[in-house]
Amino acid sequence: MGIERVAVLGAGSWGTTFAKVIADSGPEVVLWARRQEVASAITETRVNADYLPGISLPANLEATSDPAKALDGADAVVLAVPSQTLRVNLSAWKELLPADATLVSLSKGVELGTLKRMSEVIREVAGVDESQVAVVSGPNLAKEIAVGQPTATVIACTDHDRAVDLQHACSNSYFRPYTNTDVVGCELGGACKNVIALACGMAAGLGYGDNTMASIITRGLAETARLGAALGADPLTFAGLAGLGDLVATCASPLSRNRTFGERLGKGETLEQAQEAAHGQVAEGVKSCSSIRELARANDVDMPITEGVHMVCHDGLSARDLGAALLGRDRKHERQ
Ligand SMILES: NC(=O)C1=CN([C@@H]2O[C@H](COP(=O)(O)OP(=O)(O)OC[C@H]3O[C@@H](n4cnc5c(N)ncnc54)[C@H](O)[C@@H]3O)[C@@H](O)[C@H]2O)C=CC1
Ligand SMILES: O=C(CO)COP(=O)(O)O
């Protein structure tokens, strides 16, 4: 049967861009925006000026602020809201979800308090089996994809056939999704890289160069993989697009909100100043550094960069002192 109609819930940078990716791949798309004026502006001008200025959205993409209208008859429901808001948003949409629709998470984070991954939140709130939930994660900076620059990504779902259906629905000349059944690994890769990108940003803000970046990226991958091993992920996932791929893109790119946020902290700005400069756009790592830290501690996993980022973001440590603290730890074997 395949996927012919898709609801995308969340009209921020990535929600709008991913809606365009699907529409450019063939299916009809209805994009839900929280604010009615954003939906109306998209309908009238074909542009989401707040999040993707200058990008013309295709004709088979319509916008609405009515979730019932967006979800009516959808074969797949794409959730594109900040991770810490997913539970509340999805609870409000629960009764409107079409029975067998694939529920797709775009959010990269771990929920504060419950320490759940986004697919776990979706399963719990929607009351569906894990086979109905998919995750899209990879090196996917929205602004590059919106202008048609080529990239690849991973669609993870324990039900391979469902992943393949979704793969068909979002494959086009600039977007190449691969399937994977390792949902745990793909989600952890996406959540943890935001925290490591904050650390890279801090290093950049302090004026450090490529050796420092490469060291943080590589040791960041090592601690992410340690957490993954403890939680049952396939280690090879971290060498793939949702692991190394996304980590490198986010840590290196000035387009990344997390890296940019870290850079501001590295230059001595306060959390509040960096938040203000983000203009309401989410830098997921600022909150996920706390939940990932708790998840690591609960599983007896050592994540020194994540611990340090948490201290800078929430405990008043300076970025410079974080560098000194990381370098001053006990010496150890690379594989530990
Ligand atoms: N922007 C990017 O390049 C990418 C983002 N992601 C992930 O996708 C998720 C969404 O990111 P973006 O679309 O970039 O975020 P954004 O900050 O650009 O937009 C968030 C959207 O969620 C809506 N929203 C609904 N309820 C909300 C609430 N209670 N509080 C705040 N906003 C609410 C906002 O109105 C807005 O449309 C995040 O988890 C992010 O990590 C993943 C890949 C790429
Ligand atoms: O997830 C992303 C790229 O894959 C986007 O990263 P930021 O949220 O840091 O902008």
Side-chain angles (χ1 to χ4, degrees):
M1 189 191 68
I3 293 174
E4 290 170 4
R5 185 177 166 89
V6 179
V8 177
L9 306 179
S13 312
W14 188 215
T16 308
T17 302
F18 195 67
K20 178 177 184 295
V21 167
I22 298 170
D24 285 344
S25 308
E28 296 292 316
V29 180
V30 188
L31 175 62
W32 171 84
R34 192 161 54 139
R35 284 174 291 148
Q36 208 258 316
E37 62 268 27
V38 173
S40 304
I42 293 174
T43 305
E44 281 156 28
T45 65
R46 312 303 310 157
V47 173
N48 183 346
D50 282 1
Y51 288 97
L52 283 187
I55 304 296
S56 186
L57 299 169
N60 57 338
L61 184 162
E62 64 175 295
T64 179
S65 58
D66 176 0
K69 189 174 169 203
L71 287 163
D72 186 33
D75 303 308
V77 176
V78 177
L79 301 157
V81 293
S83 3
Q84 306 305 332
T85 78
L86 179 60
R87 182 178 293 274
V88 169
N89 275 312
L90 188 56
S91 303
W93 300 325
K94 184 182 165 179
E95 306 303 329
L96 303 168
L97 297 171
D100 190 44
T102 303
L103 306 181
V104 186
S105 164
L106 298 189
S107 309
K108 293 176 175 173
V110 171
E111 192 175 47
L112 291 166
T114 66
L115 311 185
K116 292 195 168 160
R117 293 174 283 104
M118 295 299 104
S119 67
E120 295 179 297
V121 173
I122 294 169
R123 279 161 55 193
E124 191 176 301
V125 175
V128 298
D129 187 73
E130 64 174 9
S131 60
Q132 209 178 320
V133 182
V135 164
V136 176
S137 197
N140 295 156
L141 294 152
K143 286 198 164 60
E144 293 182 5
I145 297 172
V147 295
Q149 291 185 22
T151 194
T153 199
V154 178
I155 295 173
C157 183
T158 56
D159 179 344
H160 175 69
D161 292 343
R162 227 181 242 279
V164 169
D165 277 350
L166 192 58
Q167 184 182 38
H168 283 139
C170 62
S171 293
N172 61 40
S173 60
Y174 59 87
F175 197 77
R176 179 170 171 80
Y178 291 81
T179 60
N180 192 332
T181 49
D182 180 19
V183 175
V184 178
C186 287
E187 283 189 300
L188 289 179
C192 293
K193 64 88 193 177
N194 286 332
V195 179
I196 306 306
L198 281 167
C200 280
M202 289 175 200
L206 287 164
Y208 301 153
D210 293 336
N211 295 330
T212 313
M213 296 307 149
S215 301
I216 297 171
I217 289 172
T218 311
R219 294 312 299 168
L221 188 61
E223 68 180 56
T224 302
R226 278 201 294 272
L227 182 64
L231 297 177
D234 177 347
L236 283 178
T237 299
F238 299 107
L241 292 160
L244 183 66
D246 198 5
L247 183 65
V248 169
T250 312
C251 289
S253 176
L255 292 176
S256 158
R257 284 91 43 101
N258 285 285
R259 186 191 193 276
T260 303
F261 199 105
E263 195 170 344
R264 289 182 174 277
L265 296 179
K267 284 183 174 148
E269 288 189 19
T270 62
L271 193 76
E272 292 69 31
Q273 286 170 322
Q275 245 144 11
E276 207 168 308
H279 300 298
Q281 287 216 23
V282 71
E284 292 276 21
V286 176
K287 287 184 176 161
S288 284
C289 65
S290 305
S291 44
I292 293 169
R293 182 184 79 143
E294 292 313 309
L295 196 56
R297 287 182 175 185
N299 288 280
D300 216 10
V301 173
D302 186 28
M303 296 190 78
I305 301 174
T306 303
E307 290 273 351
V309 167
H310 173 89
M311 281 162 73
V312 174
C313 288
H314 304 295
D315 288 337
L317 184 74
S318 73
R320 189 173 296 281
D321 286 346
L322 167 59
L326 285 171
L327 270 288
R329 286 174 309 132
D330 283 349
R331 288 178 283 273
K332 61 183 218 176
H333 190 287
E334 191 180 22
R335 302 275 169 77
Q336 281 176 337

